[in-house]
Amino acid sequence: MASVKLSKISTRAPKGWDKDTTKHKLQQMLTKLDELQNLLYAERKHSILIVLQGMDAAGKDGLIRDVFTSMNPQGVQVTSFKEPTPEELSHDFLWRIHQHAPACGMIQVFNRSHYEDVLVTRVHRMIDDKTAKKRMDAINDFERLLQENNATEIIKIYLHVSQEEQQKRLKERLSKPEKMWKYNAKDLSESDLWDTYVKYYDEAISYCNKPEWHIVPTDQNWYKSYLVARILLDKLQSLKMKYPGLKK
Amino acid sequence: MASVKLSKISTRAPKGWDKDTTKHKLQQMLTKLDELQNLLYAERKHSILIVLQGMDAAGKDGLIRDVFTSMNPQGVQVTSFKEPTPEELSHDFLWRIHQHAPACGMIQVFNRSHYEDVLVTRVHRMIDDKTAKKRMDAINDFERLLQENNATEIIKIYLHVSQEEQQKRLKERLSKPEKMWKYNAKDLSESDLWDTYVKYYDEAISYCNKPEWHIVPTDQNWYKSYLVARILLDKLQSLKMKYPGLKK
């Protein structure tokens, strides 16, 4: 098992990248992404599942706004997985997830995902290591099902923020009126559990690696959005899609 | 892999069983089943999934009526899987199935199931052997998920009817007004494919055997219903359930 160590990976854009050029590049890509999303929808041979994970304030919501807003909403769905409801808890942990798997032709974004079931649950000792292992095996089986049985391309993104940058952003939530609604009293205590989160993230990212995760440095928001758009564009271009002809 | 050969297994009740005694035994069991289903529902620790498969006219509907009618409908759900809709076909084959997995405390009956996706589809050459193998692997993964992650007890029942008895029943559908609605022009042509169905059933039953299937002789309907009730009762009794105390 390839072992990922998040603590060894930079949370910042590589040297030489500047904000304005990168933002311009993102804009150019968005036009191409829009075209390719139309093609994906028309061809209905593939589907795309983007799994977005990251610590609180890593910038998941902003990423979704930056990259997906310009696409046809008919072909893009975003599902945010919150704390499970009692009904959801009375099923296996993948039950609620599977319902939102993308249909052919669709792009589905998971804002948080089934990975929470081997992260927050472990940090708060709601499940033991043995159960976590079983769940990670089940995640691998489930992701294989989607890939092999429904031509779903899975893109797993870990938004990699530093603890310093996270603290800064959490404090901003308390001071800026337009960000206050995002503040949750839990956020700061969760931040105390940083190292524990990192440990379980390392494990999940290493164990559930088909396909492998993209670790996206996210201390600068402009770089993060550029990079995810790039990853998505490369994936869509690799599918060699064609508009279908007239139905016979 | 243990190899099941349906053609070697009797479709009739063992010698010495008679209809009246067996029907009486079934009635006695139904009372116990009702009690245990209540307990299952109250305890909410386990769930039961009954997968019912069999050739056309093997008696699935009659079995459901005989065994489940007397239970509290709040705790029992029956889902019949028909030919998939276009929406269902645009997902992986387990997508529509997973949505009906039983919640804790529930008994769920699948009248036909995900196994059709490696049976009728193979008989009619809609999928090749490689795809069928992938699907059977996915079925094993899915059934393990339910068992390991949601304490679901899976009971797989193959209703084993002889071809002679099937023909008799299909003809009855044409002659008895109360059975005509069940007649489907496809039924007789499907029956011509008997040996092909048996071949793929042998394969699926042998390959997807955790837990193993119950091959239930079903040429006599009274024996079939007795035996399935017995299997369900044994399973419920093995769970050593208790009524939960007052909530703290």
Side-chain angles (χ1 to χ4, degrees):
Chain A
M1 183 170 84
S3 200
V4 174
K5 283 265 174 228
L6 290 171
S7 58
K8 309 271 184 206
I9 301 173
S10 170
T11 56
R12 301 189 62 79
K15 269 192 188 161
W17 288 75
D18 82 274
K19 189 170 175 173
D20 291 341
T21 323
T22 308
K23 281 195 151 186
H24 181 67
K25 280 187 187 169
L26 171 62
Q27 288 312 311
Q28 289 175 313
M29 281 196 292
L30 291 183
T31 314
K32 280 190 207 162
L33 277 175
D34 186 38
E35 285 166 24
L36 285 166
Q37 181 268 316
N38 255 311
L39 186 49
L40 182 83
Y41 190 77
E43 197 193 40
R44 284 180 201 249
K45 266 173 80 174
H46 307 270
S47 60
I48 306 277
L49 172 59
I50 294 159
V51 174
L52 267 191
Q53 286 287 154
M55 302 283 193
D56 289 332
K60 296 181 284 294
D61 296 335
L63 174 79
I64 293 169
R65 201 175 49 239
D66 286 354
V67 178
F68 298 96
T69 305
S70 59
M71 291 184 207
N72 183 347
Q74 182 153 301
V76 181
Q77 275 186 339
V78 179
T79 307
S80 296
F81 291 100
K82 313 276 183 196
E83 223 171 293
T85 65
E87 193 200 0
E88 288 168 349
L89 280 175
S90 75
H91 288 90
D92 68 84
F93 74 104
L94 292 172
W95 179 79
R96 65 174 186 157
I97 307 290
H98 204 163
Q99 296 176 32
H100 296 278
C104 286
M106 296 292 293
I107 295 178
Q108 171 73 53
V109 182
F110 283 178
N111 185 350
R112 301 192 186 273
S113 66
H114 41 298
Y115 284 96
E116 290 298 326
D117 296 291
V118 292
L119 291 165
V120 63
T121 49
R122 297 188 81 181
V123 170
H124 293 284
R125 300 185 182 279
M126 296 149 73
I127 61 170
D128 62 14
D129 288 352
K130 211 177 129 195
T131 306
K133 168 77 166 49
K134 271 187 199 168
R135 287 191 179 184
M136 289 192 290
D137 284 330
I139 287 175
N140 285 337
D141 294 339
F142 173 65
E143 293 184 353
R144 192 169 57 246
L145 166 73
L146 300 186
Q147 293 175 87
E148 292 196 348
N149 288 276
N150 205 36
T152 300
E153 301 288 334
I154 303 178
I155 300 175
K156 297 190 247 185
I157 305 281
Y158 177 75
L159 292 184
H160 190 33
V161 72
S162 65
Q163 198 169 8
E164 299 67 41
E165 177 66 22
Q166 185 205 41
Q167 290 301 310
K168 208 183 100 195
R169 294 183 186 176
L170 290 176
K171 277 173 199 149
E172 258 185 26
R173 287 189 184 172
L174 283 171
S175 57
K176 295 194 179 173
E178 76 279 14
K179 294 202 170 177
M180 270 182 202
W181 64 275
K182 292 189 112 188
Y183 178 75
N184 182 330
K186 263 193 204 165
D187 291 350
L188 290 173
S189 60
E190 289 290 296
S191 183
D192 290 342
L193 299 166
W194 183 271
D195 292 339
T196 319
Y197 267 105
V198 169
K199 178 182 148 195
Y200 291 129
Y201 259 118
D202 279 351
E203 210 177 308
I205 287 176
S206 303
Y207 196 88
C208 301
N209 64 349
K210 287 180 185 171
E212 286 188 1
W213 287 75
H214 299 272
I215 312 296
V216 172
T218 186
D219 279 2
Q220 299 119 305
N221 282 320
W222 49 268
Y223 182 68
K224 156 197 86 177
S225 294
Y226 161 80
L227 193 55
V228 172
R230 180 78 258 165
I231 291 165
L232 178 58
L233 186 57
D234 287 348
K235 173 57 75 185
L236 287 169
Q237 284 173 334
S238 76
L239 299 179
K240 314 228 171 290
M241 298 179 285
K242 281 182 200 155
Y243 279 100
L246 278 175
K247 276 189 191 158
K248 280 161 202 164
Chain B
M1 182 172 84
S3 199
V4 174
K5 283 266 174 227
L6 290 172
S7 58
K8 309 272 185 208
I9 301 173
S10 171
T11 56
R12 301 190 61 80
K15 270 191 187 158
W17 288 76
D18 81 274
K19 187 170 175 174
D20 290 340
T21 321
T22 309
K23 281 196 153 185
H24 181 68
K25 281 187 187 167
L26 172 61
Q27 288 313 312
Q28 289 175 315
M29 283 196 291
L30 291 183
T31 316
K32 281 190 205 160
L33 277 175
D34 185 40
E35 284 166 27
L36 285 165
Q37 181 268 318
N38 256 311
L39 185 49
L40 182 84
Y41 190 78
E43 198 193 39
R44 283 178 203 253
K45 266 173 80 175
H46 308 269
S47 60
I48 306 277
L49 173 59
I50 294 159
V51 173
L52 267 190
Q53 285 288 152
M55 301 284 192
D56 289 331
K60 295 182 283 297
D61 296 334
L63 173 80
I64 293 169
R65 202 176 48 238
D66 286 355
V67 177
F68 298 96
T69 306
S70 59
M71 293 184 205
N72 183 346
Q74 183 155 297
V76 181
Q77 275 185 341
V78 180
T79 307
S80 297
F81 291 100
K82 314 278 184 193
E83 222 170 294
T85 64
E87 192 199 2
E88 288 168 350
L89 280 175
S90 75
H91 288 91
D92 69 84
F93 74 105
L94 292 172
W95 179 78
R96 65 172 186 160
I97 306 291
H98 205 164
Q99 297 177 32
H100 296 278
C104 286
M106 295 293 291
I107 295 179
Q108 171 75 53
V109 181
F110 283 177
N111 184 352
R112 302 191 184 273
S113 67
H114 41 297
Y115 284 96
E116 291 298 327
D117 296 290
V118 292
L119 291 165
V120 62
T121 49
R122 297 187 83 180
V123 170
H124 293 284
R125 302 186 177 282
M126 295 148 74
I127 61 170
D128 61 16
D129 288 351
K130 211 177 131 195
T131 307
K133 168 78 167 48
K134 272 188 198 167
R135 287 193 179 182
M136 290 193 290
D137 284 329
I139 287 175
N140 284 337
D141 295 340
F142 173 64
E143 293 185 353
R144 191 169 57 247
L145 167 73
L146 300 186
Q147 294 174 87
E148 291 196 349
N149 288 276
N150 205 38
T152 299
E153 301 289 335
I154 303 179
I155 300 176
K156 297 190 247 185
I157 306 280
Y158 177 75
L159 292 185
H160 190 32
V161 71
S162 65
Q163 196 170 7
E164 298 68 41
E165 179 65 22
Q166 185 205 39
Q167 289 302 310
K168 209 182 97 196
R169 293 182 187 176
L170 290 177
K171 279 174 199 150
E172 257 184 28
R173 288 189 183 172
L174 284 172
S175 58
K176 294 195 181 171
E178 78 278 12
K179 294 201 169 176
M180 271 183 203
W181 65 274
K182 293 190 111 187
Y183 178 75
N184 183 330
K186 264 194 205 164
D187 290 350
L188 291 172
S189 61
E190 287 292 296
S191 183
D192 291 341
L193 299 166
W194 183 272
D195 292 339
T196 319
Y197 267 105
V198 169
K199 178 182 148 192
Y200 292 130
Y201 258 118
D202 279 351
E203 210 176 308
I205 287 176
S206 302
Y207 196 88
C208 302
N209 64 348
K210 286 180 185 168
E212 286 189 2
W213 287 75
H214 299 273
I215 312 296
V216 172
T218 185
D219 279 1
Q220 298 119 306
N221 282 320
W222 49 267
Y223 182 69
K224 156 197 85 178
S225 293
Y226 161 81
L227 193 55
V228 171
R230 179 79 258 165
I231 291 165
L232 178 58
L233 186 58
D234 288 347
K235 173 56 74 186
L236 287 169
Q237 284 174 334
S238 77
L239 299 179
K240 315 230 170 288
M241 299 179 285
K242 281 182 200 154
Y243 280 99
L246 279 176
K247 275 187 191 160
K248 279 161 204 163

